[in-house]
Amino acid sequence: MDKEKNREMWLAKIAEFKQSTLSQREWCRQNNLKLSTFKYWLSRSEYNPSDKKEEFEFARVSISKEASPAIAVEINDITLSVNDNYDELLLIKLIKTLKKL
């Protein structure tokens, strides 16, 4: 029996089962079928690859390059803008250097 005829045969058997009120086990026993084979074909008959496609949408993210400084330090005629994630030691060195100017 070729694959397509075998598939059609099993789809017919599954349709018969769904019309019955029997459990899978009892229906297979009465029809001389292995339960595991029946379950395999039942799962194959319910599988639809198009059902597995999930739609998704990308989120829009915008990143501003204009970050406003957390503080602005003015020494003489020089303004030093400092963000939140500044290096404290570097800032101290810069201020000492600017005072010398």
Side-chain angles (χ1 to χ4, degrees):
M1 183 180 297
D2 71 347
K3 285 183 180 181
E4 188 56 34
K5 286 192 188 261
N6 190 36
R7 184 177 184 283
E8 288 174 13
M9 178 195 72
W10 276 103
L11 290 176
K13 288 182 185 294
I14 290 165
E16 288 174 29
F17 162 74
K18 288 183 176 181
Q19 294 297 316
S20 78
T21 57
L22 301 173
S23 67
Q24 292 178 4
R25 184 178 306 281
E26 183 58 26
W27 191 86
C28 287
R29 190 186 66 72
Q30 288 183 14
N31 288 276
N32 298 318
L33 297 171
K34 285 178 62 175
L35 181 60
S36 60
T37 305
F38 174 79
K39 285 185 175 188
Y40 167 80
W41 282 103
L42 181 63
S43 69
R44 295 273 303 193
S45 72
E46 294 171 348
Y47 174 74
N48 186 350
S50 63
D51 290 345
K52 296 293 181 185
K53 293 179 184 173
E54 294 180 22
E55 291 187 26
F56 63 92
E57 187 176 316
F58 285 101
R60 291 191 183 272
V61 177
S62 62
I63 300 171
S64 174
K65 291 185 179 183
E66 297 176 22
S68 59
I71 60 169
V73 178
E74 244 181 70
I75 301 175
N76 297 332
D77 293 329
I78 300 170
T79 303
L80 180 63
S81 298
V82 182
N83 291 325
D84 313 2
N85 58 351
Y86 70 93
D87 181 342
E88 189 176 350
L89 293 175
L90 178 60
L91 180 60
I92 291 169
K93 286 180 182 180
L94 283 171
I95 292 172
K96 286 181 180 178
T97 303
L98 290 172
K99 282 184 178 180
K100 291 178 184 177
L101 294 176

